[in-house]
Amino acid sequence: MNETMNAFLARLYSLEGKTALVTGGATGIGRMIATALVQAGARVLIASRKAADCEAVAAELNALGSTGTAEGFGGDVSSEQGVKDLVAAVKARTERLDILFNNAGVTWGAPMESFPWGAWEKVMNINVTGLFTLTRELLPMLEASGKPGDPSRVVNLGSVMGSTPMTDPTYSYSTSKAAVHHLTQILANTLAGRNVTVNAFAPGPFQSKMTAFATGTDEKAAKIGKGVPLGRIGLPDDIAAAALFLCGHGGSYVTGQILHLDGGLHANYPGGLFDEH
């Protein structure tokens, strides 16, 4: 690759000098995001309920030899106090924040007849209330870092299941992700004048801890992929490219978007994501 091409790509996608927080960044899509940001040169704070896992992932990312760095620590967005503690932990580590990935989430599956009250409370608290509250509490840092032409970025993790009614018994999860999509657009409108963009990913099936029951082996992943219009499940590079687009200079004019990383499921698939194929 010649120097002109290198400079062009760096101008659009480099994150050198940027600081990011990725919640739920120790596994699955969160880890894919954290890896991409580090490799693009960012300083990445990785937080989840399991501090030891975050520390281990950070050490692995630092060993990649990229210009970016990673730091892992504990953080829990399931309660108001947990969010306050996480915000304090972030402020203790950095004076600036350019990128926030609200990736932490939880799911619950059960038949309608036995779907418990607590499944709604837990899922909505983490996936929606925790996301909103963390964004609000970190907003002063994001506003301080953003500027015209180079706004700070908030990216929320939605789901194709929040866009397309499916038959899978994940009532609270799918509803929470629909709320994330709607909240993303509300926040995008609210924060546009403050030099903060807000977008969301709406992934289809990727290999992760959350979907391990269906994608935990290559055989299972291939089976699920048959139900996707493009014929496969998502790969880490699919997440990486989208993350660098939204967070790099090339994505500075994009806000209020729900980016479907789903192989066409939201437009073409009428059934259940994890049905037999």
Side-chain angles (χ1 to χ4, degrees):
M1 188 179 295
N2 61 44
E3 291 184 7
T4 301
M5 179 65 76
N6 281 332
F8 173 70
L9 294 177
R11 181 171 63 84
L12 290 180
Y13 303 116
S14 173
L15 298 178
E16 290 190 13
K18 302 292 186 180
T19 299
L21 170 64
V22 182
T23 64
T27 61
I29 288 176
R31 179 170 178 160
M32 296 175 200
I33 292 166
T35 302
L37 300 184
V38 168
Q39 291 181 315
R43 177 190 180 193
V44 182
L45 309 180
I46 302 169
S48 77
R49 286 173 290 176
K50 296 182 179 180
D53 290 351
C54 293
E55 293 168 2
V57 169
E60 292 176 18
L61 296 184
N62 287 330
L64 294 175
S66 304
T67 57
T69 61
E71 301 168 43
F73 54 96
D76 185 358
V77 299
S78 65
S79 68
E80 185 174 11
Q81 187 59 52
V83 171
K84 289 181 179 179
D85 292 343
L86 176 53
V87 170
V90 171
K91 290 181 176 179
R93 288 168 170 80
T94 181
E95 295 181 353
R96 65 174 297 149
L97 187 66
D98 304 279
I99 299 164
L100 169 61
F101 265 94
N102 284 307
N103 172 75
V106 66
T107 188
W108 196 301
M112 183 176 183
E113 291 75 12
S114 59
F115 204 86
W117 180 284
W120 286 95
E121 183 176 33
K122 179 178 181 178
V123 171
M124 296 300 287
N125 276 351
I126 295 174
N127 294 3
V128 184
T129 309
L131 179 155
F132 170 82
T133 307
L134 181 63
T135 303
R136 182 189 66 193
E137 295 303 305
L138 290 174
L139 186 56
M141 296 181 72
L142 292 164
E143 284 190 85
S145 296
K147 52 185 179 291
D150 187 17
S152 293
R153 319 298 166 91
V154 176
V155 185
N156 300 322
L157 260 291
S159 171
V160 63
M161 298 174 80
S163 299
T164 304
M166 295 185 176
T167 58
D168 305 286
T170 55
Y171 302 101
S172 58
Y173 177 79
S174 296
T175 302
S176 76
K177 293 304 183 179
V180 168
H181 295 178
H182 196 67
L183 178 59
T184 294
Q185 295 179 322
I186 293 173
L187 292 176
N189 186 51
T190 302
L191 302 181
R194 305 187 198 182
N195 297 317
V196 178
T197 66
V198 187
N199 295 287
F201 287 168
F206 282 77
Q207 285 190 317
S208 69
K209 185 177 180 180
M210 187 177 290
T211 64
F213 70 95
T215 63
T217 67
D218 291 342
E219 292 75 15
K220 288 181 177 181
K223 185 176 182 180
I224 293 298
K226 292 179 181 178
V228 177
L230 285 182
R232 64 171 176 86
I233 68 168
L235 300 173
D237 280 353
D238 300 319
I239 293 292
L244 298 188
F245 164 60
L246 287 183
C247 294
H249 179 70
S252 62
Y253 196 54
V254 180
T255 196
Q257 297 300 309
I258 313 303
L259 181 55
H260 286 87
L261 306 174
D262 64 1
L265 277 172
H266 74 285
N268 296 284
Y269 196 63
L273 184 57
F274 300 116
D275 287 347
E276 294 291 329
H277 299 295

